[in-house]
Amino acid sequence: ALPIWKKYSITTTVFSLAPARMEESIEEHEEIIRLLVAKDYEQVEKLMRGHKMRAGFAMLREMEQREAKNQRE
């Protein structure tokens, strides 16, 4: 088994590129856990899909901003 941070290196990448995303991500995870406990699996799936999309967009947005900044310098 791989160490969790190596296995899920995308997590550290998202948070290193978009640290503001961390608080929102924690809140989303808390809601996912609440829905799992409530056995509302349809909402879990919906929230997970949105969670992954928001994380991806945050990372992409940050990468684009860094690239634009580098081009200006």
Side-chain angles (χ1 to χ4, degrees):
L2 295 170
I4 192 164
W5 290 114
K6 185 173 183 179
K7 184 175 179 183
Y8 300 106
S9 62
I10 190 70
T11 301
T12 56
T13 302
V14 169
F15 292 149
S16 67
L17 287 174
R21 173 81 183 114
M22 190 177 296
E23 184 63 35
E24 183 180 0
S25 180
I26 290 169
E27 291 172 6
E28 290 171 357
H29 281 100
E30 289 171 347
E31 181 64 8
I32 290 165
I33 292 168
R34 187 190 70 72
L35 292 167
L36 284 168
V37 169
K39 298 181 180 180
D40 190 346
Y41 304 120
E42 187 174 313
Q43 288 301 314
V44 169
E45 181 179 0
K46 183 178 177 181
L47 187 57
M48 280 301 303
R49 289 179 187 277
H51 172 73
K52 289 182 177 187
M53 291 292 290
R54 285 184 292 280
F57 284 133
M59 190 168 105
L60 180 60
R61 203 169 31 250
E62 185 61 33
M63 291 171 66
E64 288 172 342
Q65 288 173 355
R66 287 181 184 206
E67 184 177 328
K69 180 182 175 190
N70 287 339
Q71 289 177 355
R72 288 190 304 267
E73 294 177 348

